[in-house]
Amino acid sequence: MVSTRLLFRPSVLFLFGCLSKVGVSSKDCKCIPGDECWPDLPTWAALNASVSGSLVRNQPVAGVCYRGQDWAYNAESCDFVTSNWNDATLQAESPIGYQYPRDLPCPPSLNETYGRCSIGDSPVYTINATHHTHVSKGIKFARDKNLRLVIRNTGHDMLGRSTGFGSLQIWTRYLRTGVEFASSFGLSTPPPLCESAPRWSGPSISIGGGYEWGEVYKVASAHNVILVGGATPTVGGIGGWLTGGGHSFLTHDYGLGADQLLEAKIVLANGEIVIANACHNPSIFRAIRGGGPAYGVIVSGTWRAYPTQNVTSHSMSFVAEATRNTEAFLSAVADIYQESVHILDHGFTGYGVWSLSGQLTNPPFNTPTYTHTLLGLGKSKAKAERVLAPIIDKVKAVGGLNLIESVFNEYPTYAAFQENNFFTNSSAPAGVLVAWGSRLLDRQALTADPTALRNAIRTLAGNASEGAMNGLIFVGGGKLFQEDESSKTSVLQAWRKTYVHALVQRMWTHDTPQMGVDALQNDISNVKTAALEKLAPDTGVYMNEADVRNPHWRRDFYGEDNYLRLQEIKDLYDPDGLFYCSTCVGAERWEVSETGALCRK
């Protein structure tokens, strides 16, 4: 087998010249390849020397499949890439591999003559940062040379924030200074007097760099503690998950990821490395907790940790006996949405998914399918059976359905649950083209009008040929509704009344005609997501799992008043807009020109 590391070749840095796309530079546009202001090879070489030889000239993951182009063709590597294209680790270990790419300018193919291969809108160069100073020097270089800058860890990005034509990227995946447990927390630089100091003296875990949640959970388990982190183990611990708010199996019990951060180390737009907590640099500390990734580069963070507890879980799957039973299936799904308030109010949380096209269980079914895993932290099996009995009975009572599974399991610790649960021990297929939409649903949306709820679910379902998949994320209520006034975050306030995060997606392939892609995206944005907004007009959206085409992203991702406060913080710490990214604070001040350059409006 060919190692995926062979696809990531620092040695190719100076084998190629600039990209051929020509732009017209100006003081209001970032420099791109072909501009007179684009750095020459000696300048890139000097940067490479200053960052310990960690500068990489990016090559598409599938570039090894293309002969006669700029990329290093290798038949054996191509076979490996094509066979493992949807593997999350393969994509994460390439500087420009993506979990959810916006397009595929270099699709995997065993046919070496297939089309052309380019990096598209991906960054041209990457600093494979392994030290904080690499981050600082990369930031200063981009600022001084007027380059578009991209910050990336694992590439779990649905909004195109890890891409940028003609850009320099700082890659923090291999910036690793350790994952450390402390039995009691104290600020790194305790002030003599600070009324805003966190009221937390319990255990904590510090994440130093680009570790994935799966790696962090191993440290937590070794010390018999738990922490609020991503459900998918390959998501990065610090980065977009945190700055977007971060939901988890444990959100009901302890709050969002943004509620857990006690302290962070951040590299600012001027290259300075600072400590941020409730007492030092409090405004940027508030901003990075739910206010999006637009203020600096987080290189370490310290999380609250909690003693582990026993877990009782419930796994349930049911399918329609035939496609003619679709309406009965959707009625049962609507019952689960409506009962989610009861389920969460009694302390059970989890993740579910459903689709008219099936293919969600093992073995798979071709008829409409629903499956979920719920958990009760510190709950007994007897309580789980009592709380969930109403929804199980409702599913059983619907004609035309087969209840494939309804099983309760008990685990001595949360780590034991994680090891044996599909939703926490696997990663979604990577490298896929997908359009997303979502909405946060409150009690009103879920219980006030059953007919409106049922109509919204019918719209979300579409028809089986669409292959639409819907996520029913039971994450709300409980501690989520109780924000600590002494440590306020910047998360969208609609989270504080949310019970369910509703998610819908559709996928396409790289050879889908543009007309088909446009129709699919229109269906997600203007039909399915619109139905969710109609159901819950006064809530908003979880920004990390959202429709990038949302024209009201300021309101729906942040809230207008919150956005204005965040814009002030942005202007204080990044007045020149160096940390631009799609739908991030300040993004409305920029636009992409016809040449691909990022230009100030």
Side-chain angles (χ1 to χ4, degrees):
M1 178 177 290
V2 179
S3 169
T4 57
R5 294 296 178 85
L6 292 179
L7 309 175
F8 162 32
R9 304 166 185 259
S11 61
V12 302
L13 172 59
F14 301 118
L15 296 183
F16 309 114
C18 295
L19 297 180
S20 60
K21 192 169 184 177
V22 176
V24 179
S25 62
S26 77
K27 64 179 181 179
D28 293 325
C29 293
K30 300 293 184 180
C31 297
I32 60 173
D35 287 345
E36 291 182 3
C37 59
W38 180 255
D40 57 19
L41 290 181
T43 303
W44 287 112
L47 173 63
N48 186 45
S50 74
V51 293
S52 310
S54 65
L55 188 65
V56 180
R57 177 66 153 82
N58 292 327
Q59 172 169 320
V61 180
V64 291
C65 295
Y66 292 79
R67 192 190 297 271
Q69 298 191 35
D70 285 342
W71 322 120
Y73 172 79
N74 183 292
E76 188 179 5
S77 295
C78 177
D79 180 67
F80 177 82
V81 166
T82 304
S83 301
N84 294 277
W85 181 257
N86 298 128
D87 180 74
T89 301
L90 172 70
Q91 299 295 337
E93 288 189 346
S94 167
I96 54 172
Y98 303 102
Q99 185 86 5
Y100 306 111
R102 299 297 310 282
D103 60 12
L104 283 180
C106 186
S109 175
L110 288 174
N111 178 4
E112 64 196 55
T113 63
Y114 181 88
R116 291 284 297 172
C117 168
S118 76
I119 64 172
D121 289 336
S122 295
V124 180
Y125 288 101
T126 289
I127 296 175
N128 179 27
T130 57
H131 193 276
H132 297 164
T133 59
H134 296 167
V135 178
S136 182
K137 289 179 179 179
I139 288 172
K140 291 178 180 178
F141 185 87
R143 183 193 64 201
D144 294 345
K145 303 303 180 184
N146 192 30
L147 302 180
R148 182 171 178 176
L149 182 65
V150 168
I151 310 299
R152 171 221 164 96
N153 181 9
T154 63
H156 281 74
D157 169 35
M158 300 177 182
L159 300 172
R161 291 173 170 176
S162 297
T163 59
F165 178 79
S167 61
L168 169 65
Q169 174 174 258
I170 298 174
W171 191 25
T172 61
R173 178 175 176 80
Y174 298 107
L175 174 59
R176 297 178 171 227
T177 58
V179 179
E180 299 178 356
F181 170 79
S183 57
S184 61
F185 171 75
L187 293 176
S188 295
T189 52
L193 178 64
C194 176
E195 295 181 358
S196 299
R199 302 167 186 171
W200 183 262
S201 58
S204 65
I205 287 182
S206 296
I207 305 172
Y211 294 94
E212 298 175 350
W213 277 118
E215 297 170 297
V216 177
Y217 293 145
K218 291 178 181 178
V219 176
S221 176
H223 291 88
N224 293 312
V225 296
I226 55 180
L227 72 168
V228 178
T232 302
T234 55
V235 169
I238 57 176
W241 181 86
L242 165 68
T243 59
H247 67 69
S248 164
F249 265 106
L250 300 178
T251 290
H252 172 87
D253 294 279
Y254 300 116
L256 293 165
D259 296 318
Q260 312 306 313
L261 190 68
L262 295 165
E263 186 171 83
K265 183 177 290 185
I266 307 171
V267 187
L268 303 179
N270 63 3
E272 182 184 0
I273 303 173
V274 300
I275 296 291
N277 53 44
C279 299
H280 295 271
N281 300 297
S283 60
I284 196 171
F285 181 62
R286 178 172 179 171
I288 64 173
R289 291 176 296 138
Y295 316 95
V297 182
I298 305 171
V299 293
S300 68
T302 301
W303 262 254
R304 301 174 191 238
Y306 307 88
T308 192
Q309 299 185 55
N310 72 287
V311 169
T312 298
S313 72
H314 178 245
S315 297
M316 181 171 75
S317 300
F318 61 85
V319 301
E321 293 178 350
T323 54
R324 67 176 179 273
N325 304 117
T326 294
E327 296 306 317
F329 170 83
L330 294 177
S331 293
V333 170
D335 286 339
I336 295 175
Y337 276 79
Q338 192 166 11
E339 287 291 330
S340 63
V341 173
H342 165 81
I343 292 169
L344 284 156
D345 279 346
H346 284 81
F348 289 84
T349 180
Y351 290 69
V353 62
W354 60 273
S355 175
L356 294 191
S357 58
Q359 306 298 314
L360 300 177
T361 57
N362 187 19
F365 293 83
N366 294 321
T367 56
T369 303
Y370 171 93
T371 184
H372 76 216
T373 294
L374 303 178
L375 73 85
L377 189 66
K379 305 294 190 296
S380 67
K381 183 179 179 181
K383 179 171 184 178
E385 290 174 336
R386 184 171 64 255
V387 170
L388 298 175
I391 190 58
I392 297 171
D393 291 342
K394 284 186 177 182
V395 172
K396 289 179 177 178
V398 177
L401 301 182
N402 285 331
L403 183 60
I404 304 301
E405 178 186 41
S406 180
V407 177
F408 292 90
N409 290 298
E410 297 177 279
Y411 303 95
T413 63
Y414 182 70
F417 162 76
Q418 287 179 302
E419 292 171 4
N420 292 277
N421 172 49
F422 170 79
F423 285 98
T424 59
N425 200 30
S426 62
S427 295
V432 294
L433 295 164
V434 58
W436 304 84
S438 66
R439 197 75 181 174
L440 302 177
L441 305 182
D442 59 5
R443 180 186 293 269
Q444 174 81 11
L446 292 163
T447 63
D449 188 342
T451 300
L453 176 62
R454 177 65 172 76
N455 289 341
I457 289 171
R458 187 68 196 80
T459 301
L460 291 173
N463 59 67
S465 64
E466 293 176 357
M469 294 181 62
N470 283 272
L472 170 55
I473 318 299
F474 303 79
V475 292
K479 185 65 175 178
L480 177 61
F481 290 0
Q482 304 164 26
E483 184 174 28
D484 185 353
E485 288 298 322
S486 69
S487 182
K488 287 187 71 66
T489 69
S490 291
V491 300
L492 176 73
Q493 280 302 297
W495 268 114
R496 304 305 178 186
K497 63 177 183 177
T498 290
Y499 278 93
V500 163
H501 166 41
L503 183 66
V504 59
Q505 68 174 59
R506 289 184 63 189
M507 295 183 286
W508 69 95
T509 60
H510 68 267
D511 55 356
T512 301
Q514 188 59 47
M515 183 179 297
V517 175
D518 292 343
L520 183 151
Q521 292 178 327
N522 179 72
D523 176 60
I524 288 293
S525 298
N526 300 320
V527 179
K528 291 179 169 54
T529 305
L532 286 170
E533 184 175 357
K534 181 179 179 181
L535 181 67
D538 299 321
T539 60
V541 170
Y542 174 44
M543 72 169 73
N544 285 345
E545 296 169 348
D547 180 6
V548 70
R549 293 152 54 94
N550 185 339
H552 308 296
W553 58 268
R554 285 179 43 155
R555 177 197 69 194
D556 287 348
F557 292 11
Y558 302 90
E560 285 291 352
D561 291 342
N562 188 37
Y563 189 89
L564 294 176
R565 286 192 295 270
L566 289 169
Q567 204 163 51
E568 292 178 357
I569 299 171
K570 170 78 169 177
D571 290 342
L572 177 64
Y573 284 94
D574 183 20
D576 296 324
L578 182 66
F579 297 118
Y580 166 88
C581 50
S582 169
T583 66
C584 292
V585 171
E588 75 279 4
R589 299 170 176 174
W590 298 84
E591 61 185 356
V592 176
S593 72
E594 293 182 357
T595 68
L598 182 67
C599 301
R600 193 178 295 275
K601 291 183 178 178

